[in-house]
Amino acid sequence: MAGGALMVLDILLIAVGALLLIVGLIGCVLPVLPGPPISFLSLILLQLSRWGDFSSRFLWMAAFLAIMVTVLDYLVPVWGTKRFGGTGKGIWGASIGLVVGFFFAPWGIVVGPFLGAFVGEMMAHDDSNRAIRAAFGSFVGIIAGVVLKLVVSGYFMWHFFKELFARAQI
């Protein structure tokens, strides 16, 4: 390829990578998008350009981190609900509330799981105090998952721009 074509390809890879970083951050809040894996793809795209020079070890560790955070994102709300006394119905309610809440974003994403866990626990026990505790646990778990995803995606963003600006001759 000619030098100009390589430059265009590099710019395209970097632009798509930057777009993936933004989508990845949005995905940290929206449950339908896996934020950290999308953010990780931006590192791969930068690596494919001439401005990326990550070590294989770093990329493997980043991939592992993206996978682990994605798995934990499903487990932490369940743990939070159980830790605060919730049952299977509360967990199901929180999950359904999260999906329904997505359609009423941004507040629905926060309120939906809480209300869903509350309704599920009320169906299971008819004890409002227990239901509120379980709903709070679900809320704490979901917020913890969002924060964890934001930290990891932010870490990937930092490395993306650090590497880009260290290598770019702009």
Side-chain angles (χ1 to χ4, degrees):
M1 270 190 185
L6 282 176
M7 179 66 121
V8 170
L9 181 60
D10 284 339
I11 291 171
L12 181 63
L13 288 169
I14 291 167
V16 172
L19 179 64
L20 287 176
L21 285 172
I22 294 166
V23 172
L25 285 175
I26 293 168
C28 291
V29 179
L30 296 180
V32 295
L33 295 174
I38 291 171
S39 295
F40 171 73
L41 289 176
S42 70
L43 299 177
I44 297 298
L45 291 180
L46 183 61
Q47 182 71 8
L48 293 173
S49 78
R50 66 181 155 149
W51 289 328
D53 191 24
F54 297 113
S55 70
S56 296
R57 183 173 184 240
F58 171 77
L59 289 173
W60 280 110
M61 288 176 51
F64 177 75
L65 188 59
I67 291 167
M68 287 306 300
V69 167
T70 302
V71 169
L72 282 174
D73 185 46
Y74 291 103
L75 299 177
V76 171
V78 172
W79 174 83
T81 303
K82 283 187 177 185
R83 178 81 171 97
F84 284 81
T87 63
K89 287 188 178 180
I91 293 167
W92 273 104
S95 299
I96 292 168
L98 182 62
V99 172
V100 171
F102 170 72
F103 296 105
F104 301 98
W107 293 109
I109 295 169
V110 175
V111 175
F114 182 87
L115 289 177
F118 179 79
V119 169
E121 290 301 323
M122 287 300 291
M123 289 171 54
H125 299 290
D126 199 28
D127 178 0
S128 62
N129 287 333
R130 183 175 179 175
I132 287 174
R133 274 195 318 275
F136 181 72
S138 171
F139 174 76
V140 167
I142 288 171
I143 295 302
V146 167
V147 168
L148 186 60
K149 291 186 297 184
L150 283 170
V151 166
V152 169
S153 289
Y155 176 74
F156 292 164
M157 181 179 280
W158 182 77
H159 274 284
F160 180 92
F161 286 110
K162 179 182 133 199
E163 186 68 19
L164 177 63
F165 291 133
R167 304 247 176 241
Q169 298 166 2
I170 299 173

